[in-house]
Amino acid sequence: MGTYDVMQVCENGHKITHSYVNYPEHRQSACDQCGADTIHRCPECDEPIRGKYLVEGVASVGGPDPPDNCHECGEPYPWADEADQFAEVDSSVLDEELAERCLSEYETGHYQSAVRTAFTVLEERIRNRGEFPQGVSGANLMLQAFNAEDGPLSFGETEGEQDGVMFLYRGAFQALRNPVSHRFVEEVDEDYARDAIHTVNLLLRLLDENTSA
Ligand SMILES: [Zn+2]
Ligand SMILES: [Zn+2]
């Protein structure tokens, strides 16, 4: 049986050291990457955060990454909060294909491509359901698919509502997707990406509830 050293982690999840006990010279009171305070014990139950696993007489390189939850009480560590909240949302609320294709990009911090992928899922579903050829895409596809006159996917009780649906889908591509592809790259942060993915989720849900596959 081996024993665990202790890990020190900053509140944003940067690992300071996984050998807090054996190499005290590696300790930092503030993270040298982001300046945040550091902890080496669970804030809930005070149990030391597990560091490198040590077996006597066996030398090894490297150690574990910061865990999301305390091994003793199960509470999420401070850096795990946001990812956890989103993970709880994903499986129950998000469209299955959307979750499958977007969440890994989102969770690994690739926010811009997560948003782009979300809109690709929406675009492909509309194109397939309306039986449009590959070349029809983006705002133009929305215009044709949801056109109140003869759009194959048009829905709504009145013509005004049908127009509204078309503007909603078309506007999503023109206002939310295209800027991501072209201009506001640096503004696509975690919050924007999450909200954009949920917006696409709503559009997928409305599509599925009102048109048949
Ligand atoms: Zn840090
Ligand atoms: Zn704990």
Side-chain angles (χ1 to χ4, degrees), residues 174-192:
Q174 288 182 312
L176 302 179
R177 200 269 317 246
N178 292 344
V180 170
S181 310
H182 305 312
R183 293 196 306 263
F184 305 127
V185 171
E186 67 284 353
E187 291 174 25
V188 179
D189 60 8
E190 181 176 353
D191 289 338
Y192 182 95

Side-chain angles (χ1 to χ4, degrees), residues 128-150:
N128 290 338
R129 193 159 298 176
E131 298 180 347
F132 287 96
Q134 276 296 328
V136 188
S137 64
N140 184 33
L141 172 64
M142 304 307 136
L143 187 59
Q144 294 190 39
F146 296 102
N147 184 336
E149 299 265 300
D150 56 3

Side-chain angles (χ1 to χ4, degrees), residues 3 7 12 30-31 56 96 113 127 135 139 141 174:
T3 54
M7 188 186 295
N12 289 324
C31 175
E56 208 176 329
E96 201 176 322
S113 57
R127 188 189 290 125
L141 172 64
Q174 288 182 312

Side-chain angles (χ1 to χ4, degrees), residues 65-119:
D65 290 328
D68 284 342
N69 296 79
C70 173
H71 66 274
E72 181 66 23
C73 71
E75 283 298 307
Y77 288 125
W79 53 86
D81 273 2
E82 288 187 48
D84 254 37
Q85 279 168 15
F86 194 73
E88 278 169 28
V89 167
D90 72 350
S91 53
S92 55
V93 181
L94 287 190
D95 178 89
E96 201 176 322
E97 186 191 359
L98 186 65
E100 207 175 278
R101 291 176 61 180
C102 280
L103 279 189
S104 64
E105 290 179 318
Y106 175 84
E107 282 167 356
T108 52
H110 297 94
Y111 302 124
Q112 194 197 348
S113 57
V115 173
R116 205 187 296 122
T117 302
F119 278 98

Side-chain angles (χ1 to χ4, degrees), residues 26 36 55 72-73 97 122 208:
H26 290 168
V55 181
E72 181 66 23
C73 71
E97 186 191 359
L122 179 62
D208 286 350

